[in-house]
Amino acid sequence: MRLTIFAVMASFLFGCTSSLHPTLKKLDTLEPGVVKTAVLGGTMYEIGYIRALPGFVASANYYLPEMDNLVFPPVKKGTVWVCNGKLSSGDYLCLCPDISEKDVTTSTGIPLATKLPLFIIKPWGEFAGLYYTDTDRESGQVNHLHGLFVYTDVPLEDSYKARLVYSGRTDSVISLTYQEFNGTMKTPALSQVLTYEMTSANMINVKNVMIEVMDATESTIKYVVKN
C-alpha cells in the first residue's frame, strides 16, 4: 500500500471533524535471557516497527449495491479500506486503494466525473454511507453491506519486520527460516532458509542475534537469546 494514499487522503479531508494520523508500534520479542520454546513453523522472535492507519478488510466476496446512482466494481475477500478521517459521530472515512474513479460509473454507464466518495464505516464495521469530499456531504446508506467489513490496522509502506521461524531438525542439523517484510507485511521481501550443525556448544549467530539452542527435535526447539 503506497504512502501516497495517505497524502492524497489528507488533502481530501478538509471537511472532516478530525484527521487520523499513523500510529507507530515497535516489535521486539527477543527477550534476552528468557528461555523459550517454539514449535515447528512457529516464530522464535520478531523485531521491527509497524506504522499503520486504521482500516477495514472485506470478509467475503461482495457485489456492492448501486448507491447515489453510482455503480461500484465487485469487492474481493481480503480487499482493504484505509481510513484517515473521522466524522463527529466517530465513524471512519475510508478509501480503497484498489478502487479508483475509472472503476466507478453512473447508473447510466457514464464514467465518474467527480472525486470518488469515501466510505463511511462505523468502528464495529457496519457500512453507514458515502462521504463526498468536494461538497462535504454525507449520504446515508442504511443497512447496506452489513457485516462485510472487519476492523484491522493497515501497515504503511515504510513499515518493517524481521522474524525467525523454526523449520525443524534432521539428524544433527537444525533449519531456521529468516524473513523480512515491508509495507503491507503480506509477503516476505526476503526469505532465507538457514541451517546449523548442532555441536556441544550449540551457539548460533542469526543476523547478529546470538542464540543458545538448549534442545531441538523435529517438531520443537528450546532456546534462549543471549544478546
Side-chain angles (χ1 to χ4, degrees):
M1 190 165 303
R2 299 178 183 275
L3 284 173
T4 50
I5 293 170
F6 168 60
V8 170
M9 286 186 67
S11 68
F12 281 172
L13 298 178
F14 61 87
C16 295
T17 300
S18 62
S19 295
L20 300 175
H21 301 283
T23 58
L24 184 64
K25 177 183 179 182
K26 183 179 179 181
L27 301 175
D28 187 349
T29 63
L30 287 173
E31 297 183 286
V34 178
V35 177
K36 296 182 178 182
T37 300
V39 298
L40 182 67
T43 299
M44 296 175 63
Y45 71 74
E46 285 186 335
I47 55 174
Y49 54 89
I50 306 295
R51 186 169 175 264
L53 283 169
F56 294 87
V57 60
S59 60
N61 295 329
Y62 203 96
Y63 284 95
L64 296 172
E66 182 180 313
M67 297 178 283
D68 286 356
N69 295 319
L70 297 179
V71 179
F72 291 82
V75 171
K76 292 182 180 180
K77 182 179 180 179
T79 300
V80 172
W81 269 257
V82 190
C83 309
N84 194 39
K86 266 188 175 182
L87 298 173
S88 56
S89 62
D91 295 344
Y92 288 101
L93 296 175
C94 314
L95 64 74
C96 176
D98 296 333
I99 300 177
S100 64
E101 284 85 352
K102 66 181 179 61
D103 300 314
V104 180
T105 65
T106 66
S107 57
T108 57
I110 300 174
L112 185 65
T114 60
K115 288 180 180 179
L116 192 66
L118 304 179
F119 275 34
I120 304 172
I121 305 177
K122 294 185 177 296
W124 54 88
E126 180 182 342
F127 175 72
L130 301 175
Y131 176 81
Y132 295 85
T133 58
D134 49 356
T135 58
D136 193 23
R137 179 175 69 88
E138 298 177 42
S139 174
Q141 303 288 332
V142 180
N143 294 326
H144 279 181
L145 312 185
H146 180 70
L148 175 62
F149 296 111
V150 177
Y151 182 86
T152 187
D153 289 325
V154 183
L156 299 179
E157 191 65 32
D158 57 348
S159 299
Y160 169 81
K161 178 177 73 175
R163 73 177 180 184
L164 188 67
V165 176
Y166 184 55
S167 300
R169 176 171 181 166
T170 302
D171 297 327
S172 61
V173 177
I174 65 168
S175 297
L176 310 176
T177 302
Y178 175 82
Q179 298 177 320
E180 293 184 354
F181 297 80
N182 296 313
T184 62
M185 304 289 165
K186 291 182 178 180
T187 305
L190 172 68
S191 185
Q192 295 179 321
V193 176
L194 309 173
T195 58
Y196 298 89
E197 180 79 26
M198 290 292 93
T199 64
S200 57
N202 287 345
M203 292 292 296
I204 61 176
N205 185 337
V206 182
K207 306 295 182 179
N208 295 321
V209 175
M210 296 301 300
I211 299 174
E212 180 184 355
V213 178
M214 304 175 73
D215 187 35
T217 68
E218 293 179 354
S219 58
T220 63
I221 184 171
K222 185 177 180 180
Y223 65 98
V224 57
V225 174
K226 306 299 288 186
N227 61 339

